[in-house]
Amino acid sequence: MQRDLPDAEAGRAARVPTSAILRRLMHDAPADTVTLAWIVTRLGDRSFGIVLLLVALIGLLPGASPVMGLLLTVPAVQMLLGREVPRLPRRIAARPLSAPRFTRLVARLAPALERMERLVRPRWRTPFGATKRGIGLVVLLLAATMLAPLPFSHVLPVFAIGLLALAFLEEDGVLLALALAAATVSLGVTAAMVWGAVEAGMLL
């Protein structure tokens, strides 16, 4: 048992923080333009987590949740299929993005992730590659609830998806357990709201 401890500590030490990967991405970016295909390739196994986190945060904007809910189904289904990285449509993957604007976005996002990484870190090590399919299923269900035309119905699923993304990025089993609990609450609240709306409609 004692022999396993150094290996576990070494595994935690070898885990490069996501903020460091984003900063490296920022420095490696070309001077003029980048593409989503280039970004996804450089992010490697972190690409699903970053995509989920960014889309979920955009989903908090007024009126954006239905569109983001539809977009979230793409990475969620691909996680269910066990893909290594998100596969984007060619037109979207090859579309050029302004490199200076991209680096400014990363420069804002990286410090926020660094602060989160003080609390979110590899714990309760679980085979996150094996749990990818389960996370994809939960995200797919949460994304579906973001399509419901109910006031503030998107807040809880966005919060749960954000927690799932962070847990997946940093391989944090503790946060994953909390995220799954938040997802269960979110799905239960949405189901209750939909059931209440259906009953109210039947009474009318």
Side-chain angles (χ1 to χ4, degrees):
M1 191 71 176
Q2 291 180 350
R3 292 180 180 178
D4 294 334
L5 290 177
D7 293 337
E9 293 297 329
R12 281 191 285 271
R15 180 71 178 178
V16 179
T18 303
S19 59
I21 292 177
L22 287 178
R23 290 190 182 278
R24 188 185 308 161
L25 194 69
M26 179 176 62
H27 292 302
D28 292 344
D32 48 0
T33 61
V34 297
T35 63
L36 287 176
W38 181 86
I39 295 171
V40 167
T41 300
R42 292 300 182 109
L43 287 173
D45 63 347
R46 310 288 178 101
S47 52
F48 273 117
I50 291 290
V51 169
L52 292 178
L53 184 60
L54 290 178
V55 175
L57 289 175
I58 297 172
L60 286 174
L61 297 176
S65 61
V67 177
M68 294 302 107
L70 286 173
L71 286 178
L72 280 167
T73 61
V74 177
V77 169
Q78 292 184 359
M79 291 178 80
L80 271 170
L81 295 175
R83 298 275 173 82
E84 292 296 325
V85 296
R87 294 186 182 179
L88 304 172
R90 288 185 179 180
R91 289 186 178 181
I92 297 177
R95 185 175 180 178
L97 305 171
S98 169
R101 184 175 296 178
F102 169 72
T103 54
R104 286 196 297 269
L105 175 63
V106 174
R108 292 179 181 179
L109 182 61
L113 276 175
E114 284 178 344
R115 289 191 290 271
M116 292 179 186
E117 286 164 354
R118 297 172 186 171
L119 298 174
V120 182
R121 59 188 184 277
R123 293 174 293 182
W124 287 10
R125 299 303 290 267
T126 59
F128 271 72
T131 59
K132 181 189 294 185
R133 296 177 189 271
I135 294 174
L137 176 60
V138 175
V139 170
L140 188 61
L141 293 174
L142 291 169
T145 65
M146 292 173 65
L147 304 177
L150 299 171
F152 304 107
S153 62
H154 64 290
V155 176
L156 277 176
V158 164
F159 176 72
I161 292 171
L163 291 181
L164 285 168
L166 286 172
F168 189 73
L169 280 171
E170 299 303 324
E171 296 188 356
D172 189 341
V174 175
L175 184 60
L176 178 60
L178 294 174
L180 291 175
T184 302
V185 171
S186 176
L187 292 171
V189 168
T190 302
M193 292 174 67
V194 171
W195 181 253
V198 170
E199 282 196 328
M202 293 176 63
L203 290 174
L204 292 177

